[in-house]
């Protein structure tokens, strides 16, 4: 880690794609100083605003909340991959201590998952009934950083398949209340049937989105309802199906079908103009530090290299309320690559410099 009065980097700065010098001080991008103790960190290469993992779970593993040592390891793994801004899409752990660490990524939290009783992963979320939904949304909106996270569908063991977790009237009241409190609402959704009520209630984002149907997409695009598809995570659908097949064959067949048409489904959303952002779903089945792979995976659903990078960098930062470009006054968070990552997304796995809050860290 390097720290000095003013840091200077020169290279091709994205998204503008122009040769520039960037100066950093006090954790911010600054105007070129007239005279100062300037340390040149980098000359050449491509300079990209810090990457964003828009669906991450710092503080969780497959069993539930983890301790601070593990949280730190997770955050460092994300930072080392260039993910300097994380939207934590639900965590049972208290990670607020990370806010005091200048060397760890900034986290924008959605509080803890809000799930239906006995309809989610054990030890992950609050498990409640519909009449409690508004109260829990109020609680998590106040605990989070402008987001709340609902579990929109999950396997219903009586039905033997994915079914919606919430009736429409409960969703309408809960999402309206989140908006009154200044929070956006997102929802985990694998299947098709929970989506109409969530969209009608004003949901702001869908996680995974493998059940999106063509008649929903124009409405989503018009209303700015985003999708974070977690493409790497979707590769686990066949395993989920195999694990459940003996007891829940209908669910297993449904998950295989969602998997088989996942790229077509998500490509249709891209073509319709639905905002798409990069998120790994790290912290459960998957490890941390996978944002480069997730951005590359976005190119399999119809985004070109520049669009995929924007979905995991400057556009995602703007969506989360953080300046997307490296202009004076923006956070001094950036990643440097030896090649143009728009043309060769594979280079995202090989940064040469990572700068977080104006401090240089080893990739």
């Amino acid at each position: 880690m390097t720290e000095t009065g003013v840091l200077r980097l020169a290279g091709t700065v994205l998204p503008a794609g122009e040769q520039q010098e960037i100066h950093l001080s006090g954790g911010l991008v600054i105007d070129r100083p007239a005279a100062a103790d300037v340390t040149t960190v980098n000359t050449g290469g491509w300079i990209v605003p810090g990457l964003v993992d828009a669906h991450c779970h710092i503080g969780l593993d497959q069993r539930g909340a983890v301790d601070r040592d593990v949280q730190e390891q997770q955050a460092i793994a994300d930072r080392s991959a260039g993910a300097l801004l994380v939207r934590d899409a639900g965590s049972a752990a208290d990670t607020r201590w990370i806010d005091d660490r200048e060397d760890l990524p900034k986290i924008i939290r959605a509080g803890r998952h809000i799930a239906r009783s006995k309809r989610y992963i054990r030890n992950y979320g609050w498990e409640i009934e519909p009449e409690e939904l508004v109260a829990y949304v109020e609680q998590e909106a106040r605990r989070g950083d402008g987001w709340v996270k609902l579990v929109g569908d999950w396997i219903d063991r009586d039905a033997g398949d994915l079914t919606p977790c919430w009736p429409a009237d409960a969703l309408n009241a809960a999402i309206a209340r989140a908006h009154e409190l200044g929070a956006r609402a997102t929802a985990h959704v694998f299947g098709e049937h929970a989506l109409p009520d969530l969209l009608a209630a004003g949901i702001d984002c869908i996680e995974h989105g493998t059940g999106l149907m063509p008649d929903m997409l124009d409405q989503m695009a018009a209303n700015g309802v985003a999708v974070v598809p977690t493409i790497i995570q979707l590769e686990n659908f066949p395993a989920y199906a195999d694990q459940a097949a003996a007891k829940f064959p209908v669910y297993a067949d449904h998950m295989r079908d969602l998997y088989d048409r996942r790229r077509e489904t998500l490509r249709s959303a891209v073509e319709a103009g639905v905002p798409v952002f990069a998120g790994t779903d790290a912290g459960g089945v998957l490890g941390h530090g996978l944002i480069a792979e997730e951005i590359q995976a976005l190119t399999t659903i119809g985004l070109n290299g520049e669009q995929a990078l924007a979905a995991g960098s400057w556009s995602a930062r703007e969506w989360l309320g953080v300046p997307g470009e490296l202009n004076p006054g923006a956070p001094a968070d950036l990643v440097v690559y030896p090649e143009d990552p728009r043309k060769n997304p594979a280079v995202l796995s090989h940064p040469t410099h990572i700068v977080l809050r104006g401090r240089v860290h080893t990739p």
Side-chain angles (χ1 to χ4, degrees):
M1 182 173 68
T2 302
E3 191 173 2
T4 189
V6 176
L7 300 184
R8 171 185 172 270
L9 299 94
T12 302
V13 180
L14 299 181
E18 299 174 352
Q19 285 283 327
Q20 292 178 249
E21 290 187 357
I22 300 288
H23 293 85
L24 315 174
S25 181
L28 300 174
V29 179
I30 63 169
D31 289 315
R32 182 186 184 111
D37 177 17
V38 177
T39 300
T40 297
V41 173
N42 175 80
T43 57
W46 277 258
I47 301 172
V48 179
L51 302 186
V52 178
D53 190 337
H55 184 130
C56 192
H57 301 285
I58 292 175
L60 283 184
D61 67 9
Q62 295 186 55
R63 295 173 295 279
V66 297
D67 63 26
R68 285 193 178 190
D69 287 344
V70 178
Q71 293 173 30
E72 180 181 43
Q73 294 167 16
Q74 293 173 338
I76 290 172
D78 290 325
R79 184 196 70 201
S80 297
L84 309 183
L85 177 64
V86 167
R87 185 182 62 143
D88 196 326
S91 180
D94 180 2
T95 61
R96 284 288 172 190
W97 67 274
I98 291 177
D99 294 348
D100 297 326
R101 287 278 297 270
E102 293 292 313
D103 61 326
L104 298 179
K106 176 178 174 61
I107 302 178
I108 295 175
R109 298 170 182 81
R112 188 172 182 177
H113 304 78
I114 305 174
R116 189 75 179 265
S117 300
K118 299 180 180 180
R119 294 281 301 279
Y120 199 48
I121 303 167
R122 184 178 297 177
N123 300 325
Y124 269 39
W126 302 115
E127 296 190 28
I128 63 168
E129 289 303 300
E131 60 270 20
E132 302 174 278
L133 185 57
V134 170
Y136 274 81
V137 163
E138 289 177 343
Q139 170 183 288
E140 297 311 299
R142 293 187 173 109
R143 292 177 57 187
D145 300 310
W147 285 89
V148 294
K149 168 76 174 291
L150 308 179
V151 177
D153 70 0
W154 198 253
I155 186 169
D156 181 333
R157 288 165 176 78
D158 293 331
D161 197 6
L162 296 168
T163 65
C165 291
W166 313 104
D169 58 345
L171 287 175
N172 292 339
I175 293 174
R177 184 59 178 146
H179 291 165
E180 288 172 0
L181 293 171
R184 288 184 278 182
T186 191
H188 159 106
V189 191
F190 282 162
E192 305 89 345
H193 303 303
L195 288 164
D197 286 346
L198 286 163
L199 294 172
I203 198 77
D204 299 286
C205 182
I206 299 295
E207 312 297 323
H208 315 300
T210 42
L212 292 172
M213 302 302 289
D215 61 353
M216 304 171 181
L217 301 180
D218 288 344
Q219 174 191 358
M220 292 178 66
N223 294 337
V225 180
V227 175
V228 181
T230 65
I231 295 171
I232 296 174
Q233 173 64 284
L234 304 185
E235 295 302 315
N236 289 305
F237 277 23
Y240 299 157
D242 291 346
Q243 292 164 10
K247 193 169 184 180
F248 302 110
V250 174
Y251 166 81
D253 288 345
H254 193 180
M255 292 297 286
R256 292 189 184 106
D257 178 60
L258 292 169
Y259 176 77
D260 288 343
R261 54 189 172 89
R262 70 197 185 286
R263 291 196 177 116
E264 177 185 354
T265 297
L266 295 167
R267 189 174 292 112
S268 295
V270 169
E271 292 171 351
V274 174
V276 175
F277 299 104
T280 65
D281 205 3
V285 175
L286 297 176
H288 287 256
L290 299 175
I291 190 59
E293 289 85 345
E294 184 67 25
I295 293 172
Q296 293 173 63
L298 291 177
T299 64
T300 68
I301 62 167
L303 295 176
N304 63 35
E306 182 162 2
Q307 291 167 334
L309 182 56
S313 177
W314 55 88
S315 293
R317 296 176 78 84
E318 293 284 355
W319 180 58
L320 293 174
V322 177
E325 299 192 27
L326 294 168
N327 297 321
D333 300 342
L334 56 88
V335 190
V336 183
Y337 300 98
E339 300 177 48
D340 187 345
R342 300 169 301 178
K343 297 179 180 179
N344 179 19
V347 80
L348 292 168
S349 297
H350 305 286
T352 59
H353 297 82
I354 291 172
V355 181
L356 173 61
R357 299 183 181 92
R359 299 181 179 186
V360 182
H361 297 271
T362 303

